[in-house]
Structure formats: C-alpha cells, structure tokens
Amino acid sequence: MAEPRKRRSTGRATLADVAKLAGVGSMTVSRALRTPEQVSDKLREKIQQAVDELGYIPNKAAGALASGQSDTIAMLVPSMTESACCQFIGPFQTQLAKRNFQLQISYTGGVLDQEEKILTNILASSPAAIVLFGSERSAKGRKLLETCNIPVLEVNEITPLAIDLNVGVDHYQAAKVLTQQLIEQGFKNIGFIGGHGDQAILNKQLRGWQAAMIEGYLAPDHFLTSHEQASIELGAQGLAKLLLREQELDALICTHENIAMGALFECQRRVLKVPNSMAITCLDGGAFCHQSYPGITAIEVDYSAMANQAADLISSKIQGNTIMTNSINVGFQLQQRASSQT
C-alpha cells in the first residue's frame, strides 16, 4: 500500500511552532494575534517574543479564507511613471493603511488583454475590493467586474458608465476650460498633442479642446495623438510636426506634463519665445510645470484629496456602511503661469 503523500514544508515558522516555543496552545496564539485585547499583557508579551524569535508571519490568506473576509484591496494601474498615477498611489495607500487595509498594485501597461488576465488571477484570491485607475475596459474585463460581487472603484475620470463606485475629474470640462482661457487671451491657432494613456480620458480631452475651438469659431484642425507613451520626445517631435502643417500655430495644449516640457524645449531650440511666439499649456500640471522657466500654465488636480475621498468611499462600501453617493467629482484648478501670459 502506497504511503500517504506528505505536504512539502515551506520552511517557514508555523502557528504550532510559536505555540510550542511559548508553551501555550495554538488557539491561544491565534487569539492573541487576532484579538490581543482578549489575552493578558503577560501572555501576549510571551507570545510576541516567540513570534519575534521565530520570525513568524501570519498566513492572512488562510485567515481570510476561514473568515470569508480579506483586508487586501487590489489596484490595477496603466502606468508606474505617469504623474497622475504616482501622485495618487502614495496618498491612497497611506489612507487605506489608516483604515487597516493593504493595497496590492498590479501593472497593466494600459493593455486591455493584460488587464483581463490580471483581473482573473486577482479575483481568484478574493480581495476585499478592486480599484482601477482610469475607466477604459474591455467587454470581458467589464463583465468580470460586473459579476465579481465585491466593490469596484474607478478613479481619475468621472464617467457615467462607472461599474460601481467612481471618484475623479471631468477631463472633458478641464480641456474645454483651458482652451477657452487661451481663446480669451487672444490665441487663435491652438494645437493639441496627446500621448498614450487611458484612451477614454484622451478622447474626452480631445473633445473638450474641439468643443471650445468650435464655440470660439476657430478650426480644431491642428492636433496630434500617439499610441506612444507620453514623453519629452513626443512633445518635441509633436510640436515640430504641427509647425510643419501650420506655421501660424500660436498655442499648444499637451495632455501630459512631460509632453509640455518637450514642447518647451523644442521652442527653445527653435528660438521661439514662450509665450510671445508660442504659448505652452498642459492638462496634468505638477512640479515640473511649477518649476520650469517659464512656468507652464496647467490644469491641476489635488490627488491627495482624490485619494482620501477614494479611500473613504471604498472602505465604507466594504464595511457595508450607508453611502450617500457612488460618484464623487473632486474638481480641478486652472493655474495660469508665464507660459501663456503675453
């Protein structure tokens, strides 16, 4: 008769190892770790010494399986370098930690097929909730999220097509407001350069620019969008291409801060004075816009406030609390600087 197959050891200290070293039962160790207030101070210190000595790490996955609850919130991001993502993730993780949740981040590269695969794997581990940066989903990805039976939060863009919860900005309105401001200052040949990112957001920004141009009786002809990642090179090369098409171009709206920096460098190479010969603006202003010379006029979003609102909303939904609204528009500010002030 074949011997029963033995479970392979992971080499990690177990709850039983801690109990043996502390001289108590496994249930006592479990209680001390989960609900320390139910154990005396002396016993808790003894168990903690054993935990520290063995380097014991509680198996949260097993605990979540047993209790049907998880403290892990999974987040999918399209980029690890985009300014908006970077400004949001840190404050969001900090706010979740205050609410006793752990953030697990996965990188999709903005590829919808990749997002589907990651979602399938993540949902198999039963996280407490899913957070997605941006609103662009494939049909399969959307179906997975609609049927996962856990809270789903989409951040950065306000969208009427949100699957569940939504915290973000109206990117159409932001682009329209920035374009209108340039028109009011007398600029007439306003170009637009957009880089790869969330396609839904890029489309809204482009439509906002086009709407303002048409309402101002100006032709929205001078634009360039690319599947390339937003970069300084895209800004420099994009401006060069637009100037080949329209030498009278007098202002530029860029979707990303690094595109705006590239356009500014190209102006300097061509000895085009900013803003007298060319106004440079962008739709995701940050430190570079503030510190560049001249400073770049930009739409700015308070991502720390967005992170706080998002953490409040998702944790309330997980805990079953009453939610007043499923959608929060955090708004934006137009910061005018020297790059567009003639």
Side-chain angles (χ1 to χ4, degrees):
M1 183 175 179
E3 293 184 5
R5 189 174 181 180
K6 294 182 179 180
R7 175 185 285 179
R8 184 173 60 184
S9 173
T10 64
R12 289 172 52 180
T14 66
L15 190 74
D17 294 332
V18 175
K20 183 177 180 180
L21 182 59
V24 298
S26 295
M27 290 296 292
T28 302
V29 174
S30 179
R31 187 181 305 112
L33 296 177
R34 287 187 293 108
T35 53
E37 68 279 0
Q38 295 184 9
V39 179
S40 69
D41 291 345
K42 185 177 180 179
L43 184 55
R44 187 167 63 249
E45 289 174 6
K46 186 177 182 181
I47 291 171
Q48 188 60 50
Q49 286 177 357
V51 167
D52 293 341
E53 183 176 335
L54 293 171
Y56 172 68
I57 301 174
N59 188 338
K60 291 191 174 183
L65 185 64
S67 66
Q69 296 179 334
S70 171
D71 64 358
T72 298
I73 294 176
M75 181 175 181
L76 277 65
V77 297
S79 171
M80 299 300 287
T81 58
E82 266 194 34
S83 174
C85 288
C86 295
Q87 291 183 63
F88 178 85
I89 290 173
F92 186 53
Q93 180 166 293
T94 299
Q95 292 299 327
L96 288 179
K98 291 178 180 179
R99 296 161 175 80
N100 297 317
F101 288 106
Q102 301 297 319
L103 185 64
Q104 172 189 318
I105 300 174
S106 296
Y107 168 67
T108 69
V111 180
L112 298 185
D113 289 346
Q114 178 73 358
E115 182 179 273
E116 290 176 8
K117 294 175 183 177
I118 293 173
L119 274 174
T120 301
N121 290 332
I122 286 176
L123 290 171
S125 64
S126 301
I130 295 282
V131 178
L132 305 111
F133 201 87
S135 64
E136 188 181 8
R137 311 272 88 80
S138 68
K140 182 179 177 182
R142 187 175 183 86
K143 186 68 175 177
L144 285 170
L145 293 165
E146 288 173 341
T147 58
C148 67
N149 201 33
I150 59 174
V152 174
L153 170 64
E154 292 165 282
V155 298
N156 192 37
E157 180 197 359
I158 287 296
T159 171
L161 302 177
I163 294 165
D164 184 11
L165 307 173
N166 188 205
V167 178
V169 176
D170 186 339
H171 290 282
Y172 169 89
Q173 190 63 26
K176 188 174 182 181
V177 165
L178 179 54
T179 309
Q180 288 173 331
Q181 181 64 36
L182 288 172
I183 293 171
E184 288 173 7
Q185 290 176 259
F187 297 101
K188 298 185 182 301
N189 297 298
I190 304 170
F192 180 100
I193 300 178
H196 175 68
D198 187 300
Q199 192 63 38
I201 291 176
L202 176 57
N203 288 340
K204 287 186 176 181
Q205 291 170 328
L206 185 61
R207 288 194 290 107
W209 165 75
Q210 289 171 331
M213 292 291 284
I214 291 170
E215 289 176 15
Y217 302 101
L218 300 173
D221 296 334
H222 316 307
F223 67 94
L224 183 149
T225 59
S226 173
H227 291 296
E228 298 175 22
Q229 291 288 342
S231 64
I232 288 175
E233 292 77 12
L234 178 57
Q237 294 168 12
L239 178 57
K241 290 177 181 179
L242 289 181
L243 286 170
L244 280 175
R245 301 178 199 170
E246 177 53 68
Q247 294 183 358
E248 300 301 316
L249 196 73
D250 59 5
L252 185 65
I253 291 176
C254 304
T255 56
H256 295 75
E257 191 173 50
N258 45 4
I259 295 178
M261 292 300 297
L264 180 61
F265 295 156
E266 183 65 16
C267 285
Q268 292 169 349
R269 276 192 288 269
R270 291 170 177 259
V271 198
L272 290 174
K273 292 184 178 180
V274 178
N276 300 76
S277 299
M278 177 74 65
I280 304 291
T281 66
C282 92
L283 293 166
D284 79 330
F288 287 123
C289 287
H290 180 69
Q291 296 296 334
S292 67
Y293 183 80
I296 297 175
T297 292
I299 293 291
E300 296 189 355
V301 176
D302 187 341
Y303 285 101
S304 291
M306 184 188 294
N308 197 11
Q309 298 264 31
D312 275 342
L313 192 60
I314 196 70
S315 59
S316 293
K317 186 70 179 281
I318 292 169
Q319 293 162 1
N321 299 332
T322 301
I323 295 174
M324 301 303 295
T325 178
N326 280 10
S327 181
I328 301 174
N329 187 337
V330 299
F332 58 84
Q333 288 191 343
L334 171 56
Q335 295 290 349
Q336 295 192 64
R337 300 191 177 97
S339 71
S340 68
Q341 294 179 328
T342 56

